[in-house]
Amino acid sequence: MLYLYGFVVDNNPDDYLMVHYPVEALRQLQSADIKMKLIEMQAELRCLLPTSLLDRGFFGTSTSSGEDDDNKKKHFSSYSWSGQRKVPSYLQKNVFPQEFLSTLRTIAMQEHELEQVASLLGEVGSSEDGEPSDAEIKSAIWEVCGDNGALGLLVDLLRVKMAELEEGTGTEASDSQLLEKFDSNDPDDSSSATVESIEATKSRVNRRSCIVYRRGQKQLTRMFLREAERLLELSAEEQI
């Protein structure tokens, strides 16, 4: 299980990352109460990131269909009320779900951005009870913040986590070397299975599984980090 500061990232045999930002960490943010309310109204704090998403990214091999691209653009078509915030050029290659990025935008908001969002939302209030809708909240936050702060937060989290992983158990390359050494020393099968040999085999399998698991953690973190870094570069270029 990976902890990206507040985020919890879990990978299992199905090859995915489960990202969760705990409420406890939210309480430590600036203007935490307001941000928590916005997040409750427009997004969840959990995100499932299957590794298949990476195939559609900047470093993947698959290309998204025209229909998928049109749906993404339609999703953003009403996000900029003033028309100044254009649909991102990198939208088609973004592997991170918009619900997830919406939460990150909210968490990364600065005080002045929060004031601007509140001002925009104060101009609407389409629902009968005066509460802004989910779409209106996302539109206001996107209009004010864009992706730069959210992607910067994601990159920082992933970089720190990778450093923590390598500090604890070495690099991905060192794990690969351990596995090669482990497999090269694989004992010959014995026709006589004793209790001791069975227990030794179980222990060996468990140790190897641990190395495979921790290497997998580093691989997934590295791949999603590379995607996030590329998105951040493009977002910075398009920043208003």
Side-chain angles (χ1 to χ4, degrees), residues 56-58 72 90-98 101 231:
R56 304 197 300 270
F58 292 101
K72 286 184 177 181
Y90 50 82
L91 183 62
Q92 298 175 12
K93 288 293 186 179
N94 176 22
V95 301
F96 300 97
Q98 286 304 319
L101 288 180
L231 287 171

Side-chain angles (χ1 to χ4, degrees), residues 30 34 54 139 156 159 195 202-203:
Q30 188 177 28
I34 300 175
L54 294 165
S139 296
D156 287 344
R159 284 177 177 171
V195 173
K202 288 182 179 179
S203 176

Side-chain angles (χ1 to χ4, degrees):
M1 183 171 292
L2 307 182
Y3 290 87
L4 308 184
Y5 279 120
F7 285 95
V8 179
V9 179
D10 187 13
N11 87 307
N12 69 6
D14 293 329
D15 292 330
Y16 69 81
L17 298 180
M18 175 67 79
V19 182
H20 169 231
Y21 200 102
V23 174
E24 291 76 13
L26 276 175
R27 293 196 179 102
Q28 301 174 15
L29 297 174
Q30 188 177 28
S31 304
D33 292 341
I34 300 175
K35 290 184 178 181
M36 288 175 67
K37 183 175 178 60
L38 287 172
I39 291 173
E40 289 172 0
M41 295 170 68
Q42 52 123 358
E44 295 184 357
L45 293 174
R46 296 178 181 273
C47 179
L48 187 66
L49 297 175
T51 53
S52 59
L53 290 175
L54 294 165
D55 293 336
R56 304 197 300 270
F58 292 101
F59 308 98
T61 57
S62 300
T63 56
S64 58
S65 66
E67 182 178 354
D68 289 340
D69 295 342
D70 290 342
N71 288 336
K72 286 184 177 181
K73 291 179 180 179
K74 184 182 297 184
H75 177 76
F76 268 90
S77 62
S78 62
Y79 263 33
S80 183
W81 297 343
S82 67
Q84 291 182 314
R85 180 82 62 182
K86 304 298 183 182
V87 175
S89 64
Y90 50 82
L91 183 62
Q92 298 175 12
K93 288 293 186 179
N94 176 22
V95 301
F96 300 97
Q98 286 304 319
E99 290 294 325
F100 176 44
L101 288 180
S102 182
T103 299
L104 288 181
R105 291 184 197 114
T106 304
I107 293 171
M109 269 194 297
Q110 301 298 311
E111 194 70 25
H112 70 281
E113 293 174 327
L114 192 56
E115 292 175 359
Q116 293 177 49
V117 168
S119 177
L120 285 176
L121 292 176
E123 298 174 5
V124 291
S126 60
S127 59
E128 294 180 357
D129 59 2
E131 292 288 346
S133 67
D134 174 85
E136 288 167 346
I137 293 173
K138 291 177 180 177
S139 296
I141 294 175
W142 163 251
E143 175 82 5
V144 172
C145 304
D147 283 334
N148 219 44
L151 292 172
L153 171 61
L154 179 59
V155 166
D156 287 344
L157 292 170
L158 289 167
R159 284 177 177 171
V160 170
K161 184 55 203 179
M162 180 61 78
E164 291 176 349
L165 286 170
E166 293 179 343
E167 181 180 0
T169 57
T171 64
E172 182 182 333
S174 67
D175 286 337
S176 296
Q177 292 174 354
L178 282 175
L179 284 175
E180 290 178 4
K181 182 177 180 180
F182 202 92
D183 293 339
S184 65
N185 294 331
D186 194 17
D188 296 333
D189 292 335
S190 176
S191 57
S192 59
T194 64
V195 173
E196 290 77 9
S197 65
I198 293 175
E199 290 300 322
T201 299
K202 288 182 179 179
S203 176
R204 182 180 179 83
V205 170
N206 288 338
R207 292 200 305 273
R208 188 183 189 282
S209 296
C210 288
I211 299 173
V212 170
Y213 177 76
R214 77 191 193 199
R215 184 180 67 170
Q217 290 182 316
K218 296 165 189 172
Q219 289 173 335
L220 292 176
T221 304
R222 171 177 54 80
M223 290 186 290
F224 278 106
L225 172 58
R226 186 166 62 162
E227 292 289 338
E229 287 175 334
R230 182 55 179 152
L231 287 171
L232 180 58
E233 290 175 3
L234 295 176
S235 175
E237 293 173 3
E238 298 181 13
Q239 188 78 351
I240 295 175

